[in-house]
Amino acid sequence: MCGITARIGDDDSLDDLLVSLKNLEYRGYDSAGIAVQNGAGIEVSKCEGEVAELKSQLATNDHDGPIGIGHTRWSTHGPPTDENAHPHTGCKGRVVAVHNGIIENYNALREGLQARGHEFTSDTDTEVIPHLVEERLEAGMDPEVAFRDAVGELDGSYAIAMMVDGDPAVYATRNGSPLVVGVGEEANYLASDVPAFLEFTDRVVYLEDDDVVVITPEDHHITDLTGNAVSRPVETVDWDPEDAEKGGYDHYMLKEIHEQPVSLRQTIRGRIEGEDVVLEDFPPGTFNDVSRVQFIACGTSYHAGMYGEWLLSKWGVDANTFIASEYAAYPAPVDEETLVIGVTQSGETADTLEALKSARERGARTLAVTNVIGSTAARTCDDALFIRAGPEIGVAATKTFSSQVASLVLLGERLVRDVTGGPTEECQQRLESLKSLPEHVERVIENSNAAAISHQWLGGGGHFFIGRGNAYPVALEGALKFKEITYEHAEGFAAGELKHGPLALVTADTPVFAIGTGQHPKRLESNVREIQTRGAPVIAIAPRTETDLTDTADEFLPVPATHPDLVAILANVQLQLIAYHAADEMERSIDKPRNLAKSVTVE
C-alpha cells in the first residue's frame, strides 16, 4: 500500500514524477504529493484525492527542479486530508520525506520530539522521520549519516525516501516494504514498484531489507545500516512498458481480463513436454523429501492456493491451505518434510511474508509462487516459481489468478511425481488441456454474454456463488471480485453447504451463480433445484455438455469443454466479466475500488 517514487537527474523532474505517481495509483489513491528541489529550496505540493487533483494543483504552481520525490497514499494513520498527505517536512522545511508502511513506535518518538520543541502538523506516523533527521543535521551530522542514524530508531515495516535541501541526492531504505531503483540513461529513479518508471528504464536494482541507498543524477550506492558497502545486481525487466498502460480499454481490469490468453501462454511456455512437466529450477527428485504441503496466501491468492490444495489432495499428497494472517498468528505444525508454499502476486504481501518466515524458522522448506522476480518472497524463500503473468495494475486481480492456478497445476504434477513415484492419473489429457487453455479463454472472452446477464440479474438481495470441488474456490473468487468492485453483497459457498444455513438468505432477489465442472453433476443439480424452490434465479456457468445443470438453470454462461480439473478456470473468466460489467453499469471505480489497494504491504 502507498506508492513511493523519486526522480534524480540534471533536468526537470516534475513530469516524470507525475507519470510515475499515476502509474503507482493502484497502490493508493487517498491523497498524493510531490516535493522538488532546484537550488532555491524545497517546494512541496500535496492534496487529498487522486493524482489528477495534484496535477491540477500543480498547473498553477511553478514546481520545477531536477530532484524530486512523490507519494500516493493509502491511509493507515490519520484520515485522507491535505495535512496528512505526503511528503512531510521537519520544522524548518529542510528535510522532506515520504513513507510506506507503519512506524510502530511513532507515538513514543513523537512525544520525545515534541518534548524537545518539535511541532507536528499531521496525524501520520511518517512525520517523525523528517524531524528525527532534522535534529541530527542540526547536531552536525551529514545527511547520509543522519538518515541512517534516524532510521535506526524506527520499529516496524517501512520504505522511506528523503531529500535534504541543498543536497543533490535522494536517500532511501526499506524494511518489509518494497523499493526498487531504476537505472536510466539521463536520470535515475526510485519507486515502490517497477511499473512506476518502466517507460523510462527497464534496468532495475531490487533493494533488500536494511539496505540504504543514496541516489544521485550520475549513480547510486548501497550500504547497510552500519555503513558497510553492499552489492546488488542491476537486472533487466522483461515487461513491455505498454503492459502497464490501458491500451484503449476503459479500465485496466478489462484489459487484464482480455490479456489472460497471453499471460497463460507465458506461464505455460516451455514447461510441458509430452507427458512431462519441465520446470527449470525443479528437476526430477527436487521434492523427494516432501511428505506434506501447506499453502499460505491472502485474498485471491488464497483461492488459488485452495485450488492447488484440491489438486494435490486428489492426487494423493497431504495438502492444506491457510490464510496467511491466521497462519502467522497461529502457525500449523511443520517439520523438515513440510513444503510451505506462499502464493503471492507481488511477493511483498506482509502477512504472507510473516507466515513464510514463521515456517522457515521452524524448519520447513519454503517456496514462493509469485509474479515478481526481485520480490522479497522470491529472494527469501528457499525456492521460487514465477507465474510470468506480466504487470497487473487493476486492484482486483484477474490474469494473475489464472496464471497462479496454471502454475500450481504444473507444480503439482512435478510434486506428485517426486512424492508418490509416478505421474497423476489422466496426466497427458490434463496437460494437453492445459496447453489449450489460452485458446479456450479467448473463446470465453469473445463469446461471453456476461454483460447482458449482469444487467438482467443485478440482485437487490445480494449475489451467491456456489460450486463443488475445484469450483468451490472459484465460487469464493467470483464473490470476492463482485464485492470488490461493485460494493454489493456477495458470498461464495460450497454448494452442499447451502442447506446448512445460507438458504435462509435466498429470495427471488438473490441471483445464484452455479459453477459446473462435470464432477458430481447430480449433486449440483439437486442444489440448484433447492435454490429455485425458494424462488431465486440460477445462472449456470459450465460446458454445454453438462446438461444436468444447463437444462435446469434459468440462465447459462457456457465455457468450452475441457478436462474437468481446468473447467473452473474458464468459469472464473465468466465471473470476472460478470463482476466487471455489473460494476461498470453501476458506475463504480473499477480499477481503484474504495478502501482497497493492490499490494498489501502492512499487516
Side-chain angles (χ1 to χ4, degrees), residues 86-133:
H86 299 211
H88 290 286
T89 62
C91 292
K92 298 182 179 181
R94 184 183 174 191
V95 180
V96 61
V98 293
H99 159 238
N100 175 22
I102 294 177
I103 307 300
E104 295 174 357
N105 61 333
Y106 88 100
N107 269 326
L109 294 172
R110 183 178 179 127
E111 289 172 2
L113 287 161
Q114 286 174 323
R116 296 192 295 274
H118 289 260
E119 296 181 1
F120 287 77
T121 60
S122 79
D123 302 316
T124 69
D125 54 342
T126 303
E127 197 179 354
V128 301
I129 298 168
H131 287 275
L132 288 170
V133 174

Side-chain angles (χ1 to χ4, degrees), residues 19-310:
V19 168
S20 295
L21 283 181
K22 191 65 179 174
N23 290 344
L24 284 176
E25 223 174 356
Y26 63 91
R27 298 184 63 91
Y29 36 87
D30 291 341
S31 56
I34 64 160
V36 295
Q37 62 164 319
N38 55 16
I42 293 177
E43 297 285 345
V44 176
S45 184
K46 58 183 183 175
C47 63
E48 178 186 353
E50 299 183 3
V51 173
E53 300 293 329
L54 175 66
K55 190 173 182 179
S56 296
Q57 184 182 105
L58 287 165
T60 60
N61 295 332
D62 185 18
H63 273 36
D64 59 348
I67 300 176
I69 58 177
H71 189 269
T72 181
R73 184 172 184 244
W74 191 85
S75 302
T76 53
H77 289 74
T81 63
D82 290 356
E83 293 77 16
N84 288 335
H86 299 211
H88 290 286
T89 62
C91 292
K92 298 182 179 181
R94 184 183 174 191
V95 180
V96 61
V98 293
H99 159 238
N100 175 22
I102 294 177
I103 307 300
E104 295 174 357
N105 61 333
Y106 88 100
N107 269 326
L109 294 172
R110 183 178 179 127
E111 289 172 2
L113 287 161
Q114 286 174 323
R116 296 192 295 274
H118 289 260
E119 296 181 1
F120 287 77
T121 60
S122 79
D123 302 316
T124 69
D125 54 342
T126 303
E127 197 179 354
V128 301
I129 298 168
H131 287 275
L132 288 170
V133 174
E134 186 179 77
E135 273 195 339
R136 286 155 174 78
L137 293 175
E138 292 293 314
M141 291 184 184
D142 69 46
E144 182 176 351
V145 174
F147 179 68
R148 192 182 293 113
D149 194 61
V151 168
E153 288 204 48
L154 307 180
D155 294 333
S157 65
Y158 49 77
I160 302 165
M162 181 198 80
M163 292 190 308
V164 175
D165 186 23
D167 186 51
V170 168
Y171 301 85
T173 190
R174 61 157 286 177
N175 180 42
S177 290
L179 270 182
V180 58
V181 176
V183 181
E185 295 293 333
E186 299 179 356
N188 291 315
Y189 299 85
L190 178 80
S192 299
D193 207 350
V194 172
F197 51 68
L198 190 55
E199 58 204 87
F200 308 125
T201 182
D202 61 358
R203 300 176 66 225
V204 303
V205 178
Y206 293 100
L207 300 179
E208 299 190 11
D209 282 352
D210 298 328
D211 283 355
V212 176
V213 62
V214 181
I215 311 172
T216 63
E218 299 80 21
D219 203 359
H220 71 276
H221 72 268
I222 305 171
T223 63
D224 61 20
L225 283 175
T226 60
N228 297 312
V230 173
S231 177
R232 304 286 180 226
V234 178
E235 303 179 33
T236 300
V237 178
D238 62 359
W239 290 350
D240 188 324
E242 292 184 3
D243 291 344
E245 299 175 358
K246 286 184 183 177
Y249 290 89
D250 290 337
H251 300 93
Y252 281 112
M253 182 180 179
L254 185 61
K255 173 178 179 279
E256 288 156 3
I257 290 172
H258 281 254
E259 286 177 343
Q260 285 176 106
V262 174
S263 62
L264 283 166
R265 288 188 182 100
Q266 293 172 173
T267 298
I268 297 165
R269 186 181 65 242
R271 290 174 166 175
I272 300 174
E273 292 183 4
E275 295 185 25
D276 199 13
V277 171
V278 180
L279 300 176
E280 183 177 341
D281 294 327
F282 306 101
T286 297
F287 302 110
N288 281 349
D289 58 351
V290 171
S291 63
R292 68 189 61 83
V293 174
Q294 295 176 356
F295 293 98
I296 52 176
C298 303
T300 289
S301 296
Y302 174 71
H303 301 150
M306 290 179 65
Y307 206 124
E309 174 197 344
W310 178 86

Side-chain angles (χ1 to χ4, degrees), residues 453-517:
I453 287 180
S454 65
H455 171 77
Q456 182 178 356
W457 299 109
L458 268 180
H463 299 74
F464 283 2
F465 299 76
I466 63 170
R468 289 179 174 270
N470 59 336
Y472 171 44
V474 168
L476 295 176
E477 175 62 12
L480 176 62
K481 283 293 148 292
F482 200 91
K483 70 182 74 173
E484 274 182 316
I485 62 171
T486 68
Y487 314 153
E488 297 296 312
H489 180 73
E491 292 293 337
F493 299 100
E497 283 295 292
L498 280 173
K499 63 177 70 69
H500 296 284
L503 271 177
L505 299 176
V506 171
T507 71
D509 293 324
T510 314
V512 179
F513 295 85
I515 304 163
T517 64

